[in-house]
Amino acid sequence: MRLQGSCHCGAVRFSVESPHPYPYQRCYCSICRKTAGGGGYAINLSGSAATLEVEGAEHQGIYRAVIDGETSPGERHFCRHCASALWVFDPRWPELVHPFASAIDTELPIPPERVHLLLDSKASWVEVEARDTDKCFAGYPEESIAAWHRRLGLER
């Protein structure tokens, strides 16, 4: 599925091919919460890095979070004008790019279940709105975004 995305002010526009377009993973880590989360979490999708096309790249910035005193190699791309979170790229997995669902303009499918992860980092004011079919994890789940889509027959 080809995903089209943009920042709020329109300075940065992008597209990426995603075989895993369901916005099912809610990440409650402090990095996602503080850089991209409106509800105390952020939702990342998965796309093929080789298909990422960007217009207005000169307007984007990159933030590398510090985790346990070490600067992460992961690049959180954002618009330098309006601060919209756009996508995450990590050179440890060069074939992948993870756009934030909040930056996607293409209509996304509704997931049949959700995963709430890194709940051990959740802010005290955040209420987890988990449905009966949802799965909750204190840390990272073992099942990848691709494996989740495969298990439910949702790859595109």
Side-chain angles (χ1 to χ4, degrees):
M1 177 175 184
R2 191 79 182 165
L3 302 179
Q4 305 286 334
S6 63
C7 64
H8 185 260
C9 73
V12 181
R13 296 185 185 285
F14 66 94
S15 66
V16 65
E17 196 63 38
S18 174
H20 312 118
Y22 281 77
Y24 77 96
Q25 251 187 12
R26 294 183 177 187
C27 181
Y28 295 81
C29 80
S30 65
I31 302 164
C32 283
R33 177 169 36 92
K34 290 181 179 246
T35 63
Y41 58 84
I43 300 173
N44 287 313
L45 303 170
S46 180
S48 169
T51 67
L52 179 65
E53 296 177 8
V54 181
E55 294 176 31
E58 68 274 15
H59 302 292
Q60 72 184 23
I62 296 174
Y63 172 67
R64 289 184 177 87
V66 175
I67 302 170
D68 297 328
E70 301 283 330
T71 301
S72 169
E75 303 172 354
R76 293 174 169 274
H77 293 250
F78 64 94
C79 175
R80 290 192 331 242
H81 299 289
C82 67
S84 294
L86 301 169
W87 66 84
V88 178
F89 173 77
D90 193 316
R92 294 174 289 187
W93 299 278
E95 69 281 2
L96 299 174
V97 64
H98 296 285
F100 288 99
S102 57
I104 299 300
D105 300 317
T106 304
E107 191 167 323
L108 294 171
I110 296 172
E113 66 180 44
R114 294 177 296 195
V115 169
H116 303 266
L117 62 123
L118 290 165
L119 290 169
D120 59 354
S121 300
K122 180 183 76 58
S124 61
W125 57 267
V126 175
E127 294 182 53
V128 177
E129 297 173 4
R131 299 178 289 191
D132 291 340
T133 57
D134 291 356
K135 296 181 174 107
C136 297
F137 299 90
Y140 284 105
E142 289 187 28
E143 185 176 51
S144 70
I145 292 175
W148 182 91
H149 279 77
R150 225 176 288 120
R151 175 174 57 84
L152 294 171
L154 301 173
E155 281 187 307
R156 296 197 173 193

